[in-house]
Amino acid sequence: MPRFAETLLPLALPGTYTYRIPDGMQVSIGMRVLVPFGRKKIFTAIVLMTHEREPQGYEVKEILSTLDDKPIVRHPQLDFWQWIADYYLCTVGEVYKAALPSGLKVESETTISVNSDFEESYPGQLSDHERVIMDFTAQRGRVQIAEIAHATGFKTVERNVSHLLDMDALHVSERVVDNYRPKTEACVRLAITREDEEKLHQFFDQLKRAPKQEALLLAYLDMSRWLQSGDVKEVSKENLLKRAAVSGAVLNEAVKRGLFEIYKKEINRFADLGTVLEEPPMLSTEQRRAYEEIHQSMRQHAITLLHGVTSSGKTSIYMHLIADALRLGKQVLYLVPEIALTTQLTHRLRRVFGDKLLIYHSRFSDNERVDIWKRLLDTSEPCVIIGVRSSVFLPYSNLGLVIVDEEHDSSYKQQDPAPRYNGRNAALMLARMHGAKTILGSATPAIEVYHHALSGHYGLVKLLTRYGDIQMPEVKVIDTIDARKRREMSHLFSNELIAECRKALKDGEQVILFQNRRGYSPMVRCKECGSVPKCENCDVSLTFHKHSRSLVCHYCGYTIPLPDLCPACQLPGLEIVGYGTERIEDDIEALFPGEKISRMDLDTTRSKNSYDRIIDEFSQHRTNILVGTQMVTKGLDFDAVSIVGILNADTMINFPDFRSHERAFDMLEQVSGRAGRAHKQGKVIIQTSNPEHDVIKFVQAHDYEGFYQHELADRQKFNYPPFTKVINIYLKHREDATVGELAVRFSGLLRQVFGPRVLGPMAPVVARVQNLYIRQITLKIETAASMTKVKKILRGLYEQMLAADARMKAARLYYDVDPV
């Protein structure tokens, strides 16, 4: 009886795909298999189920091969993927593509080669460009189109290759590519069996005049426990050479003599899970009270919110909770919003939990991420995984505790591509599926989370005093309009901020300056005609980067050199307008000559170890002024920071979005919390043109409760979360008029089902990105509504629209659930 497998492919396609299981092949749920798809593509599919029901109406393809001898995903991962797909209105294939490291997704790579039988039918049949492509491909054997484009610089490579394929001058083939490379270690073994004692004696006789090789043999016998009872231990080449104190040349000679053999052994890139090194730090009276209240709350609630002000010592409490979970033999997931936070936390947690601590984030190489995945597949031992939002996809087997630190942070939300999930909410569901407890921690909890806590759905524990009874920082507000009138501003810096920074630096203290915009300046403008250079692909002005003297689009990456003349009027009148972190760094160097400065933004933290370097330099006082974007707001702990300067609060507050005030309050309060953490009260200086704004007043008073009540009243008045659930629906098309018409028609269909819950369509603030025009429709639905049913309705309306208007096929439609 033929057997079939329902498989999941890493593609944005609904449903599963059925393949025939070849005779003799053993497959099980969760295993990876190589399958053909389309005309020539090959993908790694995940087996979801096996059965004997042959599909009707089409020829079923066979599985090409298996990639595993055991499942690569485990229960309840597949259920978790399905929940994400249903809740965030995407396909399970998109979740699969995001969940697995690339090294676990073997795919085919399209290459082209020359058809050796091709001959020109007539002189001039091939263009000059096509001849160059043919010659280049013939030299290389097999090449990708991207390689040809890079080597030749031709802008019409795809069209040229297509023409050559039509003429049968080139052939297309698929090469299966496996990106994962296991880490190996050279090991050494004796070239005899353990029972051959006579041969061992002969070895010693041969080495009487080779003392270094004799030392090598003695070291090996000792390290491998060859002469003792029990199994022979493996000996690495590196350790053997070190123990015997000889060079690799000595070992090579011994190999030639037939004494040793060298072989490769696959090893994990991460050390074995070790033992706990030391006890977590002692808790203060207030911390101990909060810790005990959390335990009481966990008996009644699956989720507990720890509302602790900045520098109250939440991390110390987490460490005690982690230690408790490890003693129960459980695994712990510790989520943080930014990679920068893993840097500082890793040092603290490593001292307590040693090699039981594993780290997982995108700055790790793909091979390293695969090794962590395999480690968790192979062991159920208690351990701590610290990582960013993608850590929710790891194959946990014994999860007992999930900690989501800085749970309010917008970095937990994946924007593009799908799945556009929120790491915090996904972690809550993951914990629920494993029967684990969840701790949400924040000084500025998300409005929805705090609402759940006050209504009794979550437990609530408060920690409203700083560790060591240090006072919350004093917040001084500078009216920049008034300061400019009084000529008390130097560029973007008020005289008072400069004076406070000078005093702090003179006293051996440190300063953080916050500006939530990277680059040198947000735009360049012509003084003569007022023209502003804009991106060719997006409706945004280009940001000037002084270091590379280039204008860059932060949406699509489009880059041009800074022109000497205005592109519009051809006059030399270009001026720099506005401030980014790069310009602030320059101005600070001029204001504080001789002071060492660090900058932390996306431009300075692209490499794997850049976070570690910047944070370490600031922690060790090798730099004393840190300039940064929102990265510096997220829970970083520096003892000597006494002054925090917020250079322009207006850009955060004045944004057309229902969450803008919440985001602004979070950021301002969090960055304020970096001041005065260890020994004395710090000072925060907020520069704004609107000092009477409600958000500024609440930050000045460190009044989260007041802000929450104020914001909640507005949300209730206008029917926004937590009183509804918001779904933003986006339509994109290459033609502005077309996307406008499609959006109007689709919103009409939505109103027929959802009525007044539908808002829009409207053009977003940036209405064109990567040459695609955008329209946004907002759907507000009841919080209790089933997202599975909503997804089914939206899918039906989309199919109805597709049948009614053929232009919809060329449009992109996607959903953003719970936008932040």
Side-chain angles (χ1 to χ4, degrees):
M1 191 77 176
R3 292 165 58 238
F4 301 90
E6 294 299 319
T7 66
L8 177 64
L9 274 70
L11 301 170
L13 298 170
T16 60
Y17 291 83
T18 309
Y19 289 88
R20 187 187 303 275
I21 303 172
D23 292 340
M25 180 181 287
Q26 298 298 316
V27 300
S28 57
I29 294 172
M31 281 179 58
R32 296 177 303 158
V33 291
L34 276 183
V35 297
F37 188 80
R39 291 180 63 189
K40 288 188 176 181
K41 288 284 183 183
I42 296 168
F43 285 102
T44 300
I46 301 284
V47 176
L48 299 183
M49 66 177 292
T50 61
H51 57 82
E52 296 177 350
R53 301 183 304 276
E54 183 169 3
Q56 302 299 313
Y58 64 92
E59 182 183 352
V60 182
K61 297 178 181 178
E62 274 197 349
I63 294 174
L64 299 176
S65 65
T66 58
L67 292 172
D68 311 299
D69 54 10
K70 62 181 180 181
I72 201 75
V73 294
R74 63 163 92 230
H75 180 79
Q77 274 180 290
L78 294 174
D79 291 339
F80 181 56
W81 292 5
Q82 186 64 58
W83 176 83
I84 288 182
D86 288 342
Y87 187 85
Y88 292 102
L89 306 179
C90 62
T91 67
V92 188
E94 289 171 306
V95 181
Y96 161 32
K97 188 171 184 179
L100 253 68
S102 297
L104 292 176
K105 297 191 291 280
V106 179
E107 295 183 5
S108 60
E109 185 180 82
T110 302
T111 58
I112 58 173
S113 56
V114 171
N115 178 4
S116 57
D117 296 330
F118 173 75
E119 293 181 1
E120 287 188 70
S121 302
Y122 54 89
Q125 183 184 7
L126 299 182
S127 68
D128 291 342
H129 279 194
E130 288 168 351
R131 287 181 187 280
V132 171
I133 290 171
M134 289 285 286
D135 291 342
F136 179 77
T137 306
Q139 290 171 10
R140 300 290 293 273
R142 289 182 186 275
V143 292
Q144 292 178 273
I145 293 175
E147 292 179 71
I148 299 173
H150 183 265
T152 62
F154 298 160
K155 293 184 178 180
T156 57
V157 167
E158 287 84 355
R159 189 163 68 240
N160 295 143
V161 169
S162 178
H163 187 223
L164 290 166
L165 289 170
D166 289 342
M167 290 189 291
D168 205 31
L170 295 178
H171 284 164
V172 171
S173 61
E174 292 293 325
R175 181 167 63 91
V176 176
V177 179
D178 184 354
N179 292 317
Y180 176 63
R181 295 291 178 269
K183 185 176 182 181
T184 58
E185 181 179 54
C187 292
V188 179
R189 61 187 169 214
L190 272 181
I192 58 172
T193 62
R194 200 175 189 183
E195 294 75 26
D196 197 346
E197 293 184 15
E198 184 179 342
K199 190 67 175 176
L200 182 61
H201 287 298
Q202 289 176 12
F203 282 168
F204 276 108
D205 291 338
Q206 291 175 33
L207 300 178
K208 285 181 178 177
R209 295 188 179 181
K212 290 185 177 180
Q213 292 181 41
E214 185 179 41
L216 202 63
L217 179 56
L218 289 169
Y220 175 82
L221 294 175
D222 181 40
M223 294 174 72
S224 66
R225 300 187 179 178
W226 184 275
L227 302 176
Q228 301 173 31
S229 59
D231 295 335
V232 174
K233 289 187 64 177
E234 288 190 295
V235 178
S236 75
K237 176 182 173 181
E238 181 183 356
N239 291 339
L240 179 62
L241 295 176
K242 194 179 294 183
R243 171 72 74 87
V246 299
S247 67
V250 175
L251 176 59
N252 291 339
E253 282 300 317
V255 170
K256 286 180 185 176
R257 282 192 174 205
L259 272 66
F260 292 107
E261 295 173 349
I262 299 176
Y263 64 99
K264 295 283 188 181
K265 174 193 172 189
E266 184 176 331
I267 61 169
N268 197 287
R269 285 175 170 81
F270 300 92
D272 290 336
L273 300 180
T275 55
V276 170
L277 300 182
E278 60 185 55
E279 289 297 313
M282 290 284 291
L283 298 180
S284 67
T285 304
E286 274 296 287
Q287 287 174 325
R288 173 61 60 179
R289 174 196 57 78
Y291 165 74
E292 290 171 354
E293 285 185 15
I294 289 171
H295 270 294
Q296 291 172 11
S297 173
M298 288 196 298
R299 294 188 190 101
Q300 302 169 24
H301 299 93
I303 303 164
T304 299
L305 170 64
L306 173 58
H307 178 205
V309 297
T310 55
S311 197
S312 57
K314 295 187 289 294
T315 305
S316 296
I317 296 173
Y318 297 153
M319 290 163 81
H320 280 265
L321 294 169
I322 291 168
D324 294 341
L326 294 179
R327 275 193 289 272
L328 293 172
K330 297 292 185 179
Q331 295 172 333
V332 179
L333 170 60
Y334 190 149
L335 276 184
V336 292
E338 288 272 7
I339 297 169
L341 276 181
T342 65
T343 298
Q344 274 204 331
L345 278 172
T346 297
H347 297 311
R348 294 183 65 181
L349 297 177
R350 185 75 76 191
R351 286 199 299 269
V352 175
F353 302 113
D355 291 331
K356 285 187 180 292
L357 181 70
L358 298 175
I359 307 146
Y360 189 83
H361 56 64
S362 59
R363 290 293 165 90
F364 275 15
S365 71
D366 202 61
N367 287 331
E368 289 171 320
R369 281 181 282 166
V370 170
D371 277 352
I372 291 178
W373 188 285
K374 288 186 171 182
R375 163 61 58 82
L376 289 176
L377 273 179
D378 293 340
T379 181
S380 296
E381 289 183 46
C383 60
V384 189
I385 294 89
I386 181 171
V388 292
R389 60 174 181 260
S390 58
S391 305
V392 299
F393 292 118
L394 286 166
Y396 303 100
S397 59
N398 193 18
L399 194 61
L401 177 66
V402 174
I403 296 170
V404 185
D405 197 17
E406 309 293 349
E407 59 78 21
H408 66 276
D409 201 288
S410 59
S411 297
Y412 280 122
K413 185 72 159 74
Q414 162 76 10
Q415 300 297 341
D416 279 307
R420 295 172 180 85
Y421 68 101
N422 187 306
R424 176 197 65 208
N425 296 346
L428 296 180
M429 179 54 65
L430 177 74
R432 180 177 169 185
M433 288 181 168
H434 281 270
K437 299 294 184 181
T438 304
I439 306 296
L440 304 175
S442 178
T444 55
I447 298 294
E448 292 94 320
V449 168
Y450 204 63
H451 183 71
H452 281 309
L454 292 182
S455 61
H457 295 125
Y458 299 169
L460 176 61
V461 176
K462 296 186 178 183
L463 186 60
L464 302 181
T465 57
R466 285 185 142 192
Y467 183 76
D469 293 324
I470 302 294
Q471 287 183 289
M472 294 294 289
E474 175 194 353
V475 179
K476 179 72 183 291
V477 179
I478 304 291
D479 184 341
T480 53
I481 294 176
D482 183 60
R484 289 190 194 284
K485 286 179 183 175
R486 296 171 179 270
R487 298 191 177 183
E488 294 176 353
M489 294 286 291
S490 175
H491 300 295
L492 199 59
F493 307 92
S494 62
N495 289 351
E496 185 168 349
L497 176 59
I498 293 170
E500 291 288 352
C501 290
R502 284 207 171 106
K503 182 177 182 302
L505 294 168
K506 185 179 178 182
D507 294 342
E509 295 166 344
Q510 293 176 299
V511 173
I512 290 178
L513 298 174
F514 171 63
Q515 173 76 343
N516 203 28
R517 189 184 290 275
R518 65 188 173 101
Y520 192 83
S521 73
M523 69 176 185
V524 173
R525 182 175 59 203
C526 178
K527 289 184 286 188
E528 305 297 333
C529 70
S531 172
V532 175
K534 292 192 172 182
C535 176
E536 286 189 356
N537 311 312
C538 311
D539 282 341
V540 291
S541 59
L542 295 171
T543 300
F544 174 53
H545 287 251
K546 184 181 178 183
H547 178 72
S548 58
R549 284 196 61 78
S550 59
L551 298 177
V552 180
C553 174
H554 288 170
Y555 283 83
C556 72
Y558 172 78
T559 304
I560 59 171
L562 178 69
D564 296 322
L565 303 176
C566 170
C569 68
Q570 296 300 306
L571 292 173
L574 290 177
E575 63 176 348
I576 308 301
V577 180
Y579 286 81
T581 49
E582 192 181 357
R583 186 175 186 182
I584 288 163
E585 184 182 21
D586 270 10
D587 287 358
I588 287 293
E589 286 176 351
L591 286 168
F592 303 98
E595 285 294 343
K596 295 176 181 176
I597 304 163
S598 291
R599 173 162 57 95
M600 184 185 284
D601 56 28
L602 190 61
D603 298 317
T604 61
T605 56
R606 293 186 187 279
S607 63
K608 179 178 176 180
N609 298 315
S610 51
Y611 285 109
D612 299 49
R613 177 183 54 78
I614 293 168
I615 290 171
D616 186 57
E617 285 177 352
F618 196 64
S619 298
Q620 301 297 323
H621 283 255
R622 291 197 292 275
T623 58
N624 289 317
I625 302 175
L626 178 62
V627 179
T629 57
Q630 60 178 325
M631 289 181 184
V632 303
T633 71
K634 302 173 191 282
L636 296 171
D637 191 359
F638 301 113
D639 289 349
V641 173
S642 62
I643 298 293
V644 167
I646 298 165
L647 301 179
N648 186 358
D650 302 336
T651 55
M652 291 174 278
I653 296 170
N654 303 322
F655 197 81
D657 181 81
F658 79 92
R659 292 190 194 274
S660 63
H661 287 178
E662 181 183 5
R663 279 199 302 266
F665 179 85
D666 291 347
M667 244 184 278
L668 294 171
E669 183 65 17
Q670 289 286 340
V671 76
S672 298
R674 302 316 108 208
R677 297 177 68 87
H679 308 295
K680 69 172 188 177
Q681 183 183 26
K683 191 168 189 176
V684 179
I685 297 177
I686 299 177
Q687 298 184 162
T688 174
S689 62
N690 189 3
E692 298 303 314
H693 197 285
D694 291 329
V695 170
I696 300 294
K697 292 293 186 184
F698 287 125
V699 171
Q700 196 168 14
H702 301 292
D703 184 8
Y704 173 80
E705 295 280 352
F707 170 76
Y708 167 77
Q709 295 298 340
H710 180 273
E711 184 71 7
L712 195 71
D714 279 352
R715 299 279 184 94
Q716 190 163 23
K717 181 179 178 181
F718 297 106
N719 207 26
Y720 277 108
F723 304 102
T724 58
K725 195 185 298 290
V726 169
I727 303 170
N728 282 339
I729 303 169
Y730 291 96
L731 268 167
K732 294 184 177 182
H733 196 279
R734 292 200 171 274
E735 295 178 7
D736 191 22
T738 301
V739 77
E741 291 175 29
L742 291 173
V744 169
R745 292 192 67 176
F746 192 60
S747 63
L749 289 176
L750 289 167
R751 283 190 176 88
Q752 290 176 19
V753 178
F754 296 104
R757 300 178 184 87
V758 180
L759 304 177
M762 59 185 175
V765 177
V766 180
R768 181 174 63 103
V769 174
Q770 294 181 346
N771 283 321
L772 292 173
Y773 292 91
I774 309 168
R775 292 293 184 276
Q776 176 186 322
I777 303 166
T778 297
L779 175 61
K780 295 180 186 177
I781 60 173
E782 289 74 13
T783 54
S786 164
M787 292 302 290
T788 306
K789 289 181 180 177
V790 170
K791 182 179 182 180
K792 188 175 180 180
I793 293 168
L794 291 173
R795 180 71 193 175
L797 293 176
Y798 172 71
E799 289 172 355
Q800 186 179 334
M801 182 78 181
L802 209 59
D805 195 328
R807 296 176 300 174
M808 196 70 177
K809 291 178 182 176
R812 279 188 59 201
L813 179 122
Y814 65 88
Y815 309 96
D816 186 7
V817 180
D818 300 336
V820 298

